[in-house]
Structure formats: structure tokens, C-alpha cells
Amino acid sequence: MFTREDTKAVKGIAIILMLLHHMAAFPNRVPVGFEGFLSLWRPFVDKGYLSVFALASKICVAIFFFLGGYGLYKRLSQGCSVVDIAVSLYRRYWKVFIIFVPIAYIFFSRTGADINPLTTHYEITSVKDFITEIISNLSGFRSTINSEWWFFFTYLCLIPLGCLLCMFTKKNNSFLKDIFIVFIIDMFAYNVFPNMANTTLFAGINGNFYFKTFFLLPPQISSFFAGIVFAKYDMLNRIKERISSLRFKVIICPAAMVVVMWSRMYIIGESADIIYTAVFSVCAAVLLDSVRLLKRPFVFLGKHSANMWYIHTFYCYYFLEATKIVYCTRSVFLDLLILIGMSLISSVLLELLYRQLERLNSLGLKKRLAARFAKNES
């Protein structure tokens, strides 16, 4: 079975790929004075293999979308409403927002020509602009406070679209029919809508709120709809059972994951993410089932993956002192471990903080109820 534990474990792998992607794929975002990563195997850095792999690690976005669509269908099947799903998304987003945004503006607002412009991101130049920025980012409509928060609003917009796909394909009983519809969506997301918006005839449509919100979305959204179809036909369970029965699965699964990454880097590119994500997710789940010692830490990372997504770019891009810690060794592996550690510890502490606040609130409520009950008795 492809369980919730499998989902968390795959998310744990995906969040590591994301942190590597943001840390090593963009040389213009590193701290001023950082001279690049070193490696014991020089061609890994000198010939650009690190940059290529870091760019290809963006597959993590498609994986999160795929698992998000898979989870959406499962939750809807269990009677969960769209409103409940949206509220849970906002709660997780706001938990990070109300802690890290004040920290950003209070402690990391600065100017300076000798530092990376990203670390001057929280300079307040106008009260009006500041209030507008806070409100628009709090709603998720904009992601100007942290550019990697774009995922939140995109995912929010995909929820009703995913529900529409479920309704549209409800009477279908063929996996091939439904996945073909997803391929059509993929072509529109990658090619039709972006190119249509760039033509003279449809130039004005770029300013339309509904077009931008529901049609002009990142191409990786196709993986979200693929996840819905895979969940509908229980395909991840079926494929996992087949692969798990193979004699040399411990060799086949990592080999398949390497082929996926290689194909994304050098052969097909990101346009086949619908296929890549399913293969990568199932093979990762089977591999981690076979090596149980590794599965638990990845499940733990997956549990905190949403918080880590929201938090990690503060440390590798926006908070100057934190960026110097992240990029302190020039070893991509050690620096990645530092970024993982900082993001994970922050997530754990964040969850502990809110758990304590909920406990205090619960105790306060109990005391008030007890006092009211005692008063009524008297």
C-alpha cells in the first residue's frame, strides 16, 4: 500500500531537493564574497554538473503538486470539504507568517551596496506600501515578502480546479481516459495559455484576475491533476505492489530514480513531469520500505516539509547573518546539511510553540468553565 507514511517519506526527499535547488542553482543569489562551492571531484563543480543537478532538482515542485493532488482526492473521498482543506492550508501558512515576517522586518531590515540585494528585501520605504504588502501576502494573493511562497496561492487555486476535474471525470472508469485529459491540461498549461497571453489579440487578457488566477499557472500544476487521477484508480498502490514483488527492487528503484533525474537534466527536460513524479514517488517509497532505517528520518522531514518550504529561503536568501552561516564551508553537502538543520529545527520549535499556546489556551478555557460552573452551583 502507498500509505500516508510513504507520502511523508517522499515529501522528505522532495524537501531536500528543494533546499539544494534554492541553495546551489542560482549563483546570483549567494552572499556577496562567496566564491562558489568546492568539491573533492572537481568536474562536479567546474563543469557545471552541480548547477545542472540543482536546476533539475526543481522536480520537487512537481512532486509536491502530485502528492497534493493525490491527497486532495483522498480527503474529498473521506468527506472533507473544500473549505476545510483551504482553512488547513491557511492555518499552516499563517503559523509561519506571523512569526517570521515580524522577525524579518524588525531584525533584518537594512540597506547597503556591499551586500546581496535580497538581504535588503525588508527595508520599509512607505507605510502605505508596507500595509499593502502585509495584507496581500497574508491573504496569499502576492508572494513579495518571500518569493518562494508563490506555491501557497497556486495550490489554493488548484483546489477548486481539482474538484472540477473530479466532477468532470466522475462517470469515467478508465485510467487511460482520465490521464489523457491530464495530458491535454498539460499542453494548455505549458504552451497554449502562456503563448495565447503573449499574442496581440489576447494581450489584454493578462490583466484579467480570473485568467491569471486559474489559467496562467505554473506548468508543474499538471502533476497535481495527475495525482488526482492516480488516487482515483489507486494506481500508486498497484504499481508499488508490482515493484515490491521484484527480486532486485533495491537496485531497480534507485536506478529508476537516477534515470528520471538524468532524463530531466539531459533528455526530455521538465515537460514529462507527469510521468517523472509518479515513477520517482513509487520507486522512492519502495526503496525506503526496503531500507527501513532510512525511512523514519525521511518521514520526519516530510512531516515538517511545509514549514521548511516556507522557512528555508529566509536563511539562504533574506537574513544576512543566516546566509553567512548557510554558505560557511563551501562544501555543498555540508552547507546543505546546515540549511536542512536550521530549517528543520525552526519548524520543530515552531510546532512546539504553537502546541504550548494551544495547551495554555485549553487550560485557560477549562479554568473559566470551572469558575462559571462553581458560580452557578453557589
Side-chain angles (χ1 to χ4, degrees):
M1 292 287 290
F2 194 89
T3 63
R4 287 186 178 182
E5 193 175 64
D6 289 325
T7 300
K8 290 177 182 177
V10 176
K11 285 182 177 180
I13 296 174
I15 196 63
I16 292 175
L17 291 174
M18 173 169 288
L19 268 59
L20 174 66
H21 173 68
H22 287 141
M23 191 183 74
F26 307 100
N28 60 320
R29 300 182 186 180
V30 300
V32 172
F34 181 73
E35 297 178 357
F37 292 107
L38 298 174
S39 174
L40 295 174
W41 184 44
R42 292 297 297 273
F44 185 65
V45 174
D46 295 347
K47 293 190 177 181
Y49 296 145
L50 172 60
S51 297
V52 173
F53 182 77
L55 286 169
S57 295
K58 194 178 180 181
I59 190 177
C60 61
V61 177
I63 292 171
F64 277 114
F65 274 129
F66 179 79
L67 296 175
Y70 189 86
L72 175 69
Y73 185 87
K74 293 292 186 181
R75 293 179 72 179
L76 291 174
S77 301
Q78 294 166 2
C80 193
S81 71
V82 173
V83 174
D84 290 337
I85 296 170
V87 168
S88 68
L89 281 175
Y90 267 112
R91 287 184 65 185
R92 186 175 289 276
Y93 173 63
W94 285 340
K95 281 167 70 172
V96 176
F97 190 102
I98 62 177
I99 298 296
F100 276 83
V101 171
I103 289 173
Y105 281 101
I106 293 171
F107 299 105
F108 296 96
S109 176
R110 51 163 56 84
T111 59
D114 57 340
I115 55 177
N116 191 303
L118 287 173
T119 58
T120 66
H121 194 65
Y122 301 109
E123 181 190 3
I124 301 174
T125 56
S126 163
V127 174
K128 175 189 171 185
D129 293 341
F130 172 70
I131 294 173
T132 302
E133 190 168 69
I134 292 296
I135 293 173
S136 61
N137 281 263
L138 193 63
S139 66
F141 182 67
R142 292 182 184 174
S143 54
T144 50
I145 289 177
N146 187 315
S147 61
E148 302 313 318
W149 288 357
W150 64 267
F151 179 86
F152 168 75
F153 192 68
T154 301
Y155 189 82
L156 198 65
C157 295
L158 284 173
I159 293 173
L161 294 178
C163 292
L164 287 175
L165 178 68
C166 293
M167 293 167 60
F168 184 72
T169 61
K170 187 175 182 179
K171 295 182 179 180
N172 285 359
N173 56 4
S174 168
F175 173 77
L176 290 178
K177 285 182 181 178
D178 284 2
I179 205 67
F180 180 75
I181 293 172
V182 175
F183 288 150
I184 299 298
I185 293 172
D186 185 68
M187 286 187 282
F188 273 82
Y190 264 95
N191 306 108
V192 177
F193 291 136
N195 290 329
M196 184 176 73
N198 291 329
T199 61
T200 304
L201 181 62
F202 293 99
I205 203 171
N206 278 324
N208 184 274
F209 171 78
Y210 302 104
F211 180 76
K212 289 191 298 182
T213 302
F214 296 107
F215 294 92
L216 205 60
L217 293 170
Q220 294 92 350
I221 60 142
S222 309
S223 299
F224 180 85
F225 299 109
I228 291 174
V229 174
F230 271 77
K232 178 181 177 182
Y233 294 97
D234 213 21
M235 290 302 293
L236 291 185
N237 286 336
R238 295 183 186 182
I239 298 171
K240 186 185 175 187
E241 287 175 4
R242 292 282 183 89
I243 297 176
S244 297
S245 65
L246 297 176
R247 187 174 181 181
F248 299 105
K249 57 181 178 290
V250 178
I251 299 172
I252 293 171
C253 288
M257 293 165 70
V258 169
V259 169
V260 165
M261 294 301 293
W262 193 272
S263 179
R264 205 177 191 278
M265 288 188 289
Y266 297 114
I267 303 174
I268 301 175
E270 65 177 17
S271 59
D273 275 349
I274 292 175
I275 300 170
Y276 293 153
T277 51
V279 174
F280 192 97
S281 298
V282 173
C283 288
V286 173
L287 179 62
L288 291 174
D289 276 347
S290 303
V291 191
R292 296 294 299 180
L293 188 65
L294 289 176
K295 187 165 186 176
R296 189 169 295 176
F298 280 110
V299 169
F300 186 71
L301 280 172
K303 182 181 177 182
H304 290 273
S305 59
N307 286 346
M308 291 175 70
W309 182 317
Y310 293 137
I311 292 169
H312 76 278
T313 43
F314 285 115
Y315 296 147
C316 65
Y317 291 159
Y318 301 116
F319 293 177
L320 179 61
E321 288 74 17
T323 64
K324 292 179 179 179
I325 297 173
V326 170
Y327 292 90
C328 67
T329 73
R330 296 191 66 191
S331 165
V332 66
F333 304 108
L334 292 178
D335 287 347
L336 178 60
L337 284 174
I338 291 170
L339 181 57
I340 292 170
M342 292 172 67
S343 305
L344 181 59
I345 290 170
S346 297
S347 177
V348 171
L349 292 176
L350 191 75
E351 293 299 326
L352 285 173
L353 171 64
Y354 282 104
R355 203 173 300 158
Q356 290 301 319
L357 290 175
E358 288 176 3
R359 187 174 298 174
L360 289 172
N361 182 57
S362 178
L363 289 172
L365 180 61
K366 287 179 180 178
K367 287 180 179 179
R368 288 195 296 271
L369 289 174
R372 184 177 296 178
F373 179 76
K375 184 178 180 180
N376 291 336
E377 285 292 311
S378 61

